[in-house]
Amino acid sequence: MKNNLLILIVAALSFSSCKKIIDVPPQSNLSVVTYYTTAVEMNTALVGCYNGMQRPLILEWQFTELRSDNSKQGVPASTNSINRELSDLDIFTPSPSQTAIADYWSTTYNNIRNCNILLEKLGVVYDPATGTITFNPIPANITAAEIKQVAGEALVIRAYHYFNLVRLYGGVFLVHRPLTFSESKVTSRSSVADIYKLIEADLRTASASLKNQTYAQQSTADRGRATIWAAKGMLGKVLLTQNKKSEAIPVLQDVINNSGHNVLSSYASVFSTTNEMNSEIIFAVRYKAGNLGLGSPFGNDFGPLQSGSTVINGDGDGLNTPTTEIDTLTNGGLRKPTIIGVFTSGTLVRLYVKKYLNPVVTKDDGEADWPVLRFPDVQMMLAEAQGYSQASLDLINAVRPRAGAALLTTTTTPNLASFEQALSRERRLEFAFENQRWFDLLRFNTTLTTIKAIDVMKAHFAYEYAAHYNLYPNPKPTLAELQAFVTPEKLLLPIPQREIDTNTQLVIQQNPGY
């Protein structure tokens, strides 16, 4: 049964409907002026911010799984325009005008705007010069404790969005308060460092503001809301991504030692719709079936194409197709039945992602939540930050028994190189199709010595070339051409072209290579 958070989202949909990217609410929208006067109204607006996390997530797999070695465009010979755009993302040749790149950007900024309006009404002010956040007095019927709780949750959501943006696009627009139309026209891209400064400020403030409760102490009704442990776990990942290992270690240790979260004994139970927001899930984007407009589309999106209702009611769209490599890597492991399915019909054999598959009455109206941060993620991040040791291997080992895998030791994993390979492989399998793999590869470029994203992707193209990329319609790239597409510049997506074209007052710089 879903909790109060998703029920409240239905009432809050109107607060997250604007499609502008960087804009102030229309002057005629008097509700923005007269609303936000009580704790109930602040919480309703906050639920709208939670709802706003769903729309970008619909597209996110294209930039995090498809651009990694986990996934590929499922119909390589297709000339369909949508499939060609997916193929372009897959082989690192996307156009700055590509629809999904622009839509992900705009829907993410739309929810940043929702968060900014709420934070402003709560008196939350960010100072870009100092990288600090202060709480100013507000004329509203809400206690100081309630202000901190609502603000803390909104700050986690804003940080989550900016963390995704900066990793995918590089330096983006730093918008930390509602802007007028004229202000938005003179807001240019900020540096990567300045974006991370905001993210860290948001998460540190949230960590100091949210209730200090263990998982067991949280009420069932509040499960799914951002917690102090979500803020700290995300902060640990932000610090690790910047190679601030010494800063990340105590933050991650705090989550492991004091959160009350743990690893479940069964991998399948982590993703069961009858066991949602279990003790392994620290933060997730939540969905609710029932024709409420809150259902998950991923069962149908990722279900096998032309399978009718054999796998899921309403057929599958064949998106996010697992690569032969990840299918082979999962063989023999107890995680595979949860991660990957195989659909066969005559001579047709298609792999598909099963992790978000649950029975649906209506197409694209599934129940499965999408995990953003799990307890094993924190454990393996701590192993990454600490480096090679038996203690770090033990952190990786926490998930291996339930996967049917032998424990790692300094004998089986005798040096730094083998440790980093083991860590990368374990994360790849444990978090397969949770939008982690591409971000892991980007981070490994800095935090690990033996794994580089470009090398991994060139090896991926070689592995899949004969059976997949060699089937591309003309012009068909050779393997050498395909590998040459992967450059340091192409590790980032292009800035959406419409952002550049529609600004008549500033020249917005495009990312190199586009």
Side-chain angles (χ1 to χ4, degrees):
M1 179 70 73
K2 292 289 184 181
N3 61 29
N4 294 349
L5 177 60
L6 280 173
I7 301 300
L8 287 171
I9 285 178
V10 178
L13 287 173
S14 61
F15 293 97
S16 58
S17 61
C18 180
K19 295 183 180 179
K20 288 291 184 182
I21 299 172
I22 303 174
D23 202 354
V24 74
Q27 293 301 308
S28 60
N29 190 353
L30 296 180
S31 64
V32 175
V33 177
T34 59
Y35 206 72
Y36 307 95
T37 58
T38 67
V40 171
E41 291 173 348
M42 297 291 191
N43 267 290
T44 302
L46 174 62
V47 172
C49 296
Y50 280 107
N51 172 255
M53 299 175 70
Q54 292 185 346
R55 289 184 63 194
L57 190 56
I58 292 173
L59 300 168
E60 191 174 293
W61 67 270
Q62 299 183 29
F63 315 126
T64 53
E65 296 293 343
L66 185 61
R67 275 165 55 88
S68 80
D69 49 354
N70 277 358
S71 177
K72 59 191 176 186
Q73 197 280 97
V75 190
S78 174
T79 57
N80 175 280
S81 60
I82 295 175
N83 285 339
R84 294 317 306 159
E85 285 199 348
L86 291 173
S87 292
D88 289 343
L89 277 168
D90 188 7
I91 64 174
F92 293 82
T93 60
S95 164
S97 299
Q98 190 171 110
T99 303
I101 290 173
D103 287 352
Y104 182 84
W105 173 284
S106 63
T107 54
T108 300
Y109 267 111
N110 175 63
N111 205 39
I112 288 172
R113 171 186 174 274
N114 293 337
C115 294
N116 284 342
I117 292 173
L118 175 57
L119 290 167
E120 181 183 60
K121 296 299 182 180
L122 290 165
V124 178
V125 178
Y126 173 70
D127 183 352
T130 62
T132 58
I133 290 176
T134 55
F135 287 78
N136 291 341
I138 58 170
N141 185 20
I142 182 171
T143 67
E146 288 170 332
I147 288 173
K148 285 196 169 184
Q149 182 65 31
V150 175
E153 293 180 49
L155 288 168
V156 170
I157 296 172
R158 184 170 74 175
Y160 160 81
H161 284 312
Y162 269 118
F163 191 31
N164 288 341
L165 285 174
V166 73
R167 290 181 292 177
L168 291 173
Y169 299 91
V172 294
F173 301 137
L174 198 164
V175 185
H176 55 86
R177 60 178 179 82
L179 299 181
T180 65
F181 179 76
S182 58
E183 286 176 322
S184 70
K185 285 294 187 180
V186 294
T187 299
S188 191
R189 297 177 64 182
S190 295
S191 68
V192 168
D194 282 345
I195 300 299
Y196 274 115
K197 186 190 293 186
L198 171 68
I199 296 169
E200 285 194 41
D202 281 357
L203 294 175
R204 292 185 192 280
T205 303
S207 298
S209 302
L210 294 167
K211 296 174 186 175
N212 191 359
Q213 296 178 326
T214 65
Y215 172 79
Q217 291 171 331
Q218 297 166 19
S219 69
T220 302
D222 285 341
R223 294 274 163 84
R225 291 181 178 271
T227 66
I228 183 174
W229 309 115
K232 290 186 175 184
M234 197 180 301
L235 176 60
K237 184 170 286 190
V238 168
L239 294 169
L240 187 57
T241 300
Q242 299 173 85
N243 206 23
K244 298 179 178 180
K245 293 181 180 179
S246 61
E247 291 184 52
I249 288 172
V251 176
L252 297 169
Q253 287 174 331
D254 188 11
V255 179
I256 291 171
N257 295 333
N258 300 311
S259 69
H261 287 276
N262 53 47
V263 177
L264 301 190
S265 59
S266 164
Y267 188 75
S269 67
V270 176
F271 308 97
S272 171
T273 55
T274 62
N275 191 36
E276 293 177 316
M277 295 312 300
N278 54 72
S279 60
E280 186 165 312
I281 305 293
I282 298 176
F283 193 46
V285 176
R286 308 218 60 195
Y287 292 90
K288 182 173 178 60
N291 293 313
L292 300 170
L294 300 172
S296 162
F298 300 111
N300 289 103
D301 284 353
F302 302 160
L305 190 66
Q306 298 175 333
S307 58
S309 295
T310 303
V311 174
I312 187 169
N313 187 41
D315 205 353
D317 296 328
L319 302 176
N320 205 11
T321 300
T323 61
T324 305
E325 183 181 5
I326 187 70
D327 181 53
T328 302
L329 282 174
T330 56
N331 282 342
L334 300 181
R335 286 177 286 213
K336 183 165 186 172
T338 300
I339 299 172
I340 296 175
V342 182
F343 171 73
T344 58
S345 178
T347 59
L348 179 67
V349 179
R350 286 186 170 142
L351 302 176
Y352 63 95
V353 175
K354 283 185 65 180
K355 192 169 275 188
Y356 309 98
L357 190 71
N358 60 278
V360 298
V361 175
T362 305
K363 184 174 181 178
D364 297 332
D365 190 38
E367 184 78 6
D369 296 338
W370 190 289
V372 173
L373 184 67
R374 293 200 278 121
F375 190 71
D377 190 359
V378 177
Q379 292 177 304
M380 283 190 257
M381 282 193 288
L382 180 57
E384 184 179 333
Q386 291 178 163
Y388 176 55
S389 68
Q390 183 60 57
S392 293
L393 291 174
D394 289 343
L395 288 165
I396 301 172
N397 284 336
V399 297
R400 288 179 66 80
R402 74 178 184 189
L407 298 182
L408 302 173
T409 67
T410 52
T411 301
T412 61
T413 314
N415 51 42
L416 176 63
S418 60
F419 163 74
E420 292 182 345
Q421 292 294 331
L423 174 65
S424 174
R425 183 182 185 278
E426 201 66 45
R427 286 191 62 88
R428 184 180 181 187
L429 294 175
E430 178 67 26
F431 308 116
F433 306 106
E434 295 179 40
N435 292 352
Q436 297 273 13
R437 177 60 174 171
W438 179 247
F439 290 143
D440 281 353
L441 290 176
L442 293 179
R443 188 177 69 254
F444 292 162
N445 272 320
T446 302
T447 60
L448 301 184
T449 60
T450 62
I451 301 173
K452 303 302 176 188
I454 291 176
D455 295 336
V456 169
M457 294 312 299
K458 286 183 176 181
H460 156 70
F461 287 137
Y463 192 100
E464 301 280 340
Y465 186 78
H468 183 77
Y469 296 104
N470 192 44
L471 303 179
Y472 271 35
N474 292 325
K476 175 169 54 181
T478 66
L479 175 57
E481 290 171 333
L482 199 60
Q483 292 175 324
F485 292 152
V486 192
T487 64
E489 293 80 12
K490 292 299 180 67
L491 297 181
L492 291 177
L493 295 171
I495 300 299
Q497 192 62 39
R498 70 185 183 200
E499 290 297 319
I500 296 171
D501 293 343
T502 58
N503 195 315
T504 57
Q505 297 188 38
L506 283 180
V507 177
I508 305 299
Q509 294 298 316
Q510 182 56 274
N511 282 333
Y514 294 100

